Amino acid sequence: MIDSLIDKDWVEALWLILDFALAVLLLGLAAAAVGTRDLRRGIALFIAFGLLVALVWARLRAPDLALAEAAIGAGVSGALLLAALRDVPPSGLPSVGARGLPLWLLNLGSVTLAVLLGWALLLALAGSDGIRLADLALANLEHSGVSNPVTAVLLNYRAYDTFLELGVVLAAVLGVLALGPARRSVRPAGPVLNSLIRLLLPLLIVTGGYLLWIGATAPGGAFQAGAMLAAAAVLLRLGGDATAGLPGAVGQRWLLALGIAVFAAVGLGVSTGGGAFLAYPHDWAGVLILLIEAAAMLMIACALALAYLGGRPAGWTIGDREGG
Amino acid sequence: MLPEYIVFGLTGIGLFVIGLRAALVQAAALARILAINVAGTGIFLVFVTLAYRGHDAAPDPVPHALVLTGIVVAVSATALALALVRRLPATPGEDGDD
Amino acid sequence: MLDAVGLALIGTGLVFFAAGSIGLLRLPDLHSRLHALTKADNLGLGLLAVGVAFLAGDLLIAVKLLLLWLLVLAASAASAHLIARHARLRGQGR
Amino acid sequence: MTNLLVWPVLVPLLGGLATLLAPRLANPLGLACSLATLGAAAALVVVFADQGPMILALGGWAPGLGIALRADGLSVALLAMSSLVGLAAGVYATGYFADPDVRGRFWSLWLLLSAALHALLLSGDLFNLYVTLELLALVAVALTALGGGRAALEAALRYLTIGLLGSLVFLLGVTLLYAGYGTLDLVGLAGALRPEPVAWVALSLLTVGLLIKSALFPLHFWLPPAHANAPAPVSAVLSALVVKAAFYMVLRLWFDVFDPALTQAAANLLGVLGGAAVLWGSWRALRAERLKLLAAYSTVAQLGYLFMFLPLLLALPPGPSRDVAFGALVLLALSHGFAKSALFLGAGVIQQRAGHDRIADLGGTARALPVTTFVLALAGVALIGLPPSGTFLAKWQLLASAIETGQWLWLPIVGIGTLLAGAYCFRVLGHAFGPSDRVGAALAVGGEEIPALLLAITATVVLGLGAAGLWEFLALGTAFDGGSR
């Protein structure tokens, strides 16, 4: 449509300018975010960086990633970082100890490394036939049970990666919970925030459900949907709910176990007839994938919410009364 | 002849090196966690550039899926690291041996 | 014709965005910065949304864009309020 | 039948979920699952001995588009060790954590660790290896932090940040390989790889990432605080298995994937770093004031020996002599795994009984804890490399290969390293047999001493005497050659 107004060459040139502007902005924001001594500023810049990255994903025709980056990379990570900054006074930030390398040597090394890696990347691209797995993945799409190719890779071709990835999420959240109880003190929210929460909460939940459902055919899926629900939990926590809307501790344990348990049950169930682990029968693939994704969504939402709380909510300790 | 969008791949390498350098220089744990996330995003950018095949060809879904996995892994690691950072100042030291 | 109108609206919207961003950088204290940012950006985004709706030429998309704009309005109003309230409670009007 | 390959991963993973859901039953559930994991591993050993290498194309997709699990002698042998050590340390852990809460948390993470290790050992896909590496790292960090206390948390945070850098460097290597060769399957990659700059840069990235994870000198600095401050059963597994998992990946990638692109110079560099690790680690172990810190530095040194094998393996022509050296390398890794976990469990017993693990104050331990002192001695035999331990045979073969290939540099390093190992082991025993005014004679054998004893006996006697079988086992073929698609 714009093409009708502007000459083709101009469109090409505009794309090029846009690409270079994005690249320069990305590098500048990244350098500013990690270079500042003021952590508050660094985190703000990092969140802006994440949103810009989401834009780049959209530019590179990766809408699934754009959604995930905005929701998880910038959204959840940003919330976690800000929560950490709130809990830790800047003076009390633990330091891991810097190496005593002279700065010029480090800079020289960085430049050399960048040149070497860039050269290797160009060589790799120039030397490869550029085929890779794309054609294979797209050609098998009709056997995968879904029509969104990214979902097909995530939950069918390479479902085992995703299975273990849920293990990573579980490991991280168990690690967080093992560290100690969550902070109980909550500040009640004012009327404006409360009404915003009342507006956003149903929207986030509906959006989460929509992303889960649409993931089979269009950008979306369990992870983006889980991040939406986690965002709802973060909002609730900000609004003064100490448990961020999560069910009791027993419910939380079940939610955390759910994702992997359903995944494993489906994987084993389909292999009883002599097939391989995770080899879904063709007619059932779509339904089974949706089932797995629903469980994964709930698990991820619960895990991210617990990570935001930063420790065990009431009821996790054996002998503790549940709730409270 | 390489396509122009390779600029994103090289930007990814640049982000990786910026993050790596900062992770070595920065002393504060929180700043290091930021730097590691930036470096990781750089790698993801290289991956997604590999997947891009022009305006009108369907992109390679495999790197997209790998990056999605990578994003979730990164946020999990970040969550654990930040929980440690939040917990450390309140944790008393031991009796001082070693 | 519709495309030209759309592009013109988008261009105008961008001017508002630019004004808001300059205001954020140049204005002296927090409240006037917030003022510049939210007011100019909300208007800018509205113009942008209308422009894109013209380009798309689809009623469904136009409705979606309208809803998006309203959502952003609510969120930015609330966050501007929260920032200002926080600043006042902390006693910094910088 | 090929689905057998997922059980060593699934059993502990589902066990971890079970202990999460029923924390009150964590001990019995955890033990049952460890036992079941051992059963799965044993089934794998039996089937492998019978049928040779195994492949499982997950999801029914051909490797390349899908992910394949692969098992050969190396992975099955390490898997067997992992499940044995895991069970022994788990048995010890049932009495280690007094608080039922901590016990519940420990078991969930512990079983996840087992699942992560086994997933790593069986994976045949480069990106999947990255996921398992991250899973392993996060679980290991969470377990390290379980020690509570500031030192443990600081060590865990450092372990995590360093480990993340390592896995990112690794991931960039994966990216380059996908850019250049368009596949992530290890076998497919091995077939496509050419000796060219892309392969060299990618191999360097993968290797550096893994060297950080396997704590090769001078990238070892994060290991001693993490291993010394974690709870004893955790330290045992971190030292015996987790760092070795990264070394396993180096071995796998170097010899099964990158074989055409390898250069002797690169292998020599790793060998030299290994040699430096032997000397530095042993020296620091000799100077350590705490038993667990000594054990941790000893791990740095012992990993050095493993890396010293790389230049030898590359210099030896493929065939019987390389196979013999390779077997010796695996034997060394196994012996160290059993011996070091025994040493850490023994240190844990002492720490719990005496309230500390300061070496200078170990006097009277031999009277109070004779079995544990015996464990320390047996583990020492294996760490030094005295007969009949497996280490003795392995070091002997290391020297023989060094002479055969004319790489004389390794001879004095092995000699000095062995002497230093002898010194630090006898230093511990010397204090343990020393007099004490505090310790009353309690000549009973505590149940918590048994697992360490069994591990130490395995390292010293079983592996030494059964070594011949290991060579035959490894010779049963590989699932990683190009022909098995």
Side-chain angles (χ1 to χ4, degrees):
Chain A
M1 51 213 164
I2 307 181
D3 305 22
S4 59
L5 287 175
I6 313 172
D7 186 44
K8 259 247 167 338
D9 288 347
W10 271 96
V11 175
E12 287 296 313
L14 269 178
W15 273 115
L16 206 62
I17 292 170
L18 183 71
D19 287 355
F20 270 94
L22 275 177
V24 171
L25 264 175
L26 269 184
L27 289 170
L29 266 180
V34 300
T36 176
R37 288 193 169 278
D38 179 0
L39 275 172
R40 189 176 300 276
R41 174 189 294 261
I43 291 171
L45 286 168
F46 177 76
I47 295 172
F49 171 76
L51 292 173
L52 195 68
V53 171
L55 198 62
V56 174
W57 295 157
R59 154 70 184 98
L60 289 172
R61 300 194 53 176
D64 292 87
L65 293 182
L67 283 173
E69 184 77 40
I72 303 175
V76 175
S77 296
L80 291 172
L81 282 165
L82 288 173
L85 193 64
R86 182 197 61 203
D87 279 7
V88 181
S91 56
L93 281 174
S95 151
V96 193
R99 308 281 109 230
L101 279 174
L103 211 56
W104 67 265
L105 191 66
L106 206 65
N107 289 336
L108 186 70
S110 303
V111 173
T112 317
L113 184 66
V115 171
L116 177 73
L117 293 175
W119 172 70
L121 178 65
L122 292 182
L123 275 184
L125 289 172
S128 91
D129 47 16
I131 293 179
R132 307 207 182 91
L133 294 171
D135 295 337
L136 201 56
L138 295 172
N140 281 294
L141 201 53
E142 56 180 309
H143 305 297
S144 71
V146 290
S147 60
N148 175 3
V150 178
T151 306
V153 179
L154 270 180
L155 284 137
N156 203 337
Y157 311 144
R158 298 185 65 91
Y160 183 63
D161 267 350
T162 310
F163 180 58
L164 292 183
E165 172 191 354
L166 293 184
V168 173
V169 174
L170 181 65
V173 75
L174 288 181
V176 171
L177 293 173
L179 287 174
R183 235 175 49 149
R184 298 281 170 83
S185 68
V186 279
R187 213 183 305 156
V192 174
L193 181 57
N194 268 330
S195 46
L196 183 70
I197 292 173
R198 265 199 298 279
L199 171 71
L200 287 181
L201 213 53
L203 267 181
L204 283 168
I205 293 170
V206 170
T207 313
Y210 172 76
L211 281 174
L212 176 73
W213 173 253
I214 201 73
T217 52
F223 295 102
Q224 295 91 338
M228 285 296 137
L229 297 188
V234 170
L235 269 183
L236 277 171
R237 177 71 174 79
L238 287 175
D241 182 343
T243 52
L246 289 169
V250 174
Q252 290 165 24
R253 287 178 191 269
W254 278 96
L255 280 180
L256 288 182
L258 191 66
I260 297 174
V262 169
F263 216 139
V266 170
L268 285 175
V270 297
S271 72
T272 46
F277 183 64
L278 289 171
Y280 318 120
H282 180 245
D283 296 339
W284 286 88
V287 178
L288 293 176
I289 286 177
L290 190 65
L291 180 68
I292 292 172
E293 286 211 281
M297 169 187 77
L298 292 175
M299 176 215 178
I300 287 159
C302 178
L304 292 177
L306 285 171
Y308 184 73
L309 294 180
R312 295 189 291 278
W316 267 83
T317 312
I318 300 174
D320 242 26
R321 282 260 135 229
E322 186 148 331
Chain B
M1 182 54 201
L2 288 165
E4 314 81 53
Y5 54 79
I6 195 64
V7 64
F8 286 115
L10 296 177
T11 307
I13 298 280
L15 291 178
F16 173 77
V17 175
I18 287 174
L20 189 67
R21 179 189 171 282
L24 296 177
V25 170
Q26 290 279 6
L30 227 158
R32 274 193 182 188
I33 296 166
L34 273 188
I36 290 172
N37 270 297
V38 167
T41 304
I43 299 176
F44 299 157
L45 186 51
V46 178
F47 252 130
V48 177
T49 311
L50 296 180
Y52 189 71
R53 305 196 294 172
H55 289 307
D56 20 57
D60 181 354
V62 175
H64 289 184
L66 303 185
V67 171
L68 197 49
T69 303
I71 290 176
V72 177
V73 168
V75 79
S76 306
T78 304
L80 182 55
L82 289 176
L84 284 166
V85 170
R86 284 164 86 170
R87 198 62 63 175
L88 258 172
T91 310
E94 269 119 298
D95 46 20
D97 54 16
D98 188 39
Chain C
M1 185 56 210
L2 283 184
D3 284 358
V5 174
L7 282 180
L9 283 169
I10 289 177
T12 324
L14 289 179
V15 173
F16 277 93
F17 266 111
S21 308
I22 293 171
L24 177 69
L25 291 173
R26 299 302 299 269
L27 285 176
D29 65 284
L30 187 125
H31 291 86
S32 41
R33 281 181 188 176
L34 274 179
H35 177 83
L37 194 66
T38 42
K39 207 164 258 182
D41 280 10
N42 283 340
L43 199 55
L45 186 67
L47 289 169
L48 212 67
V50 178
V52 173
F54 269 111
L55 286 183
D58 183 336
L59 194 63
L60 186 63
I61 292 183
V63 172
K64 282 185 195 169
L65 284 166
L66 177 72
L67 287 176
L68 269 180
W69 183 57
L70 289 176
L71 192 64
V72 174
L73 273 191
S76 77
S79 36
H81 165 83
L82 288 177
I83 293 173
R85 192 175 79 127
H86 183 77
R88 205 190 59 187
L89 290 179
R90 284 278 190 87
Q92 25 176 245
R94 284 189 298 123
Chain D
M1 205 57 208
T2 47
N3 271 327
L4 197 60
L5 284 179
V6 297
W7 287 108
V9 181
L10 274 188
V11 169
L13 190 57
L14 295 177
L17 298 185
T19 49
L20 172 68
L21 293 176
R24 284 166 204 279
L25 299 175
N27 262 349
L29 271 178
L31 279 182
C33 291
S34 301
L35 210 56
T37 309
L38 182 62
L44 216 56
V45 170
V46 170
V47 173
F48 174 77
D50 187 40
Q51 303 177 354
M54 285 166 274
I55 296 169
L56 168 59
L58 288 165
W61 302 104
L65 181 61
I67 297 172
L69 297 187
R70 295 173 191 274
D72 66 354
L74 175 63
S75 39
V76 173
L78 289 175
L79 202 128
M81 168 178 82
S82 155
S83 47
L84 271 174
V85 171
L87 177 63
V91 169
Y92 171 74
T94 52
Y96 184 86
F97 296 103
D99 183 351
D101 260 325
V102 184
R103 208 185 293 146
R105 275 174 236 137
F106 164 81
W107 271 111
S108 312
L109 287 167
W110 182 256
L111 291 167
L112 269 182
L113 185 80
S114 189
L117 276 167
H118 298 169
L120 187 148
L121 290 172
L122 293 173
S123 179
D125 181 278
L126 206 50
F127 186 81
N128 189 250
L129 277 173
Y130 163 76
V131 178
T132 62
L133 208 54
E134 289 281 38
L135 178 58
L136 189 61
L138 290 196
V139 183
V141 166
L143 280 168
T144 307
L146 218 53
R150 196 177 179 86
L153 293 198
E154 272 173 357
L157 184 57
R158 177 184 297 244
Y159 188 7
L160 180 56
T161 43
I162 300 294
L164 284 175
L165 280 180
S167 35
L168 282 184
V169 174
F170 181 88
L171 184 60
L172 188 60
V174 177
T175 316
L176 271 185
L177 287 175
Y178 188 68
Y181 302 107
T183 186
L184 296 163
D185 179 51
L186 292 184
V187 171
L189 206 55
L193 210 81
R194 296 176 296 270
E196 58 185 355
V198 177
W200 293 325
V201 174
L203 177 62
S204 312
L205 289 168
L206 297 177
T207 308
V208 170
L210 292 172
L211 292 190
I212 295 176
K213 299 243 169 204
S214 58
L216 179 62
F217 179 90
L219 300 170
H220 67 283
F221 50 89
W222 57 267
L223 183 146
H227 289 198
N229 287 306
V234 175
S235 311
V237 170
L238 291 184
S239 256
L241 306 177
V242 174
V243 281
K244 221 148 282 161
F247 177 76
Y248 157 82
M249 278 172 67
V250 173
L251 215 53
R252 178 67 77 208
L253 291 175
W254 273 54
F255 292 102
D256 286 324
V257 179
F258 279 89
D259 203 34
L262 293 182
T263 59
Q264 185 67 40
N268 286 345
L269 177 65
L270 290 196
V272 168
L273 292 179
V278 168
L279 300 179
W280 176 250
S282 304
W283 174 249
R284 288 301 301 262
L286 187 59
R287 303 290 308 272
E289 285 173 5
R290 289 174 45 203
L291 187 53
K292 281 173 78 183
L293 198 61
L294 176 147
Y297 272 113
S298 153
T299 297
V300 173
Q302 298 283 334
L303 284 164
Y305 286 114
L306 299 182
F307 279 99
M308 278 165 57
F309 268 98
L310 292 183
L312 295 174
L313 283 175
L314 203 62
L316 289 167
S321 52
R322 193 192 257 201
D323 292 346
V324 169
F326 188 77
L329 168 59
V330 178
L331 183 60
L332 187 61
L334 295 180
S335 304
H336 172 250
F338 285 110
K340 187 52 60 67
S341 48
L343 185 57
F344 266 117
L345 294 191
V349 171
I350 292 174
Q351 194 167 29
Q352 289 214 312
R353 289 287 182 91
H356 70 86
D357 66 340
R358 288 185 298 276
I359 295 168
D361 300 338
L362 284 181
T365 309
R367 284 231 317 268
L369 295 166
V371 175
T372 295
T373 311
F374 184 51
V375 167
L376 296 187
L378 275 182
V381 167
L383 291 178
I384 302 167
L386 300 175
S389 69
T391 320
F392 171 73
L393 289 173
K395 278 190 180 173
W396 185 261
Q397 194 55 50
L398 175 68
L399 295 177
S401 303
I403 293 169
E404 188 182 338
T405 54
Q407 299 184 13
W408 303 103
L409 173 64
W410 315 125
L411 301 185
I413 292 179
V414 172
I416 297 171
T418 305
L419 284 179
L420 285 172
Y424 66 67
C425 288
F426 283 119
R427 177 168 158 251
V428 171
L429 290 177
H431 283 293
F433 278 100
S436 166
D437 40 2
R438 296 185 272 167
V439 185
L443 276 172
V445 179
E448 78 266 33
E449 298 179 273
I450 302 298
L453 181 64
L454 292 178
L455 288 173
I457 290 176
T458 309
T460 312
V461 185
V462 178
L463 276 175
L465 299 181
L470 180 68
W471 267 285
E472 282 172 31
F473 192 73
L474 291 172
L476 286 171
T478 172
F480 289 85
D481 55 8
S484 54
R485 290 192 87 170

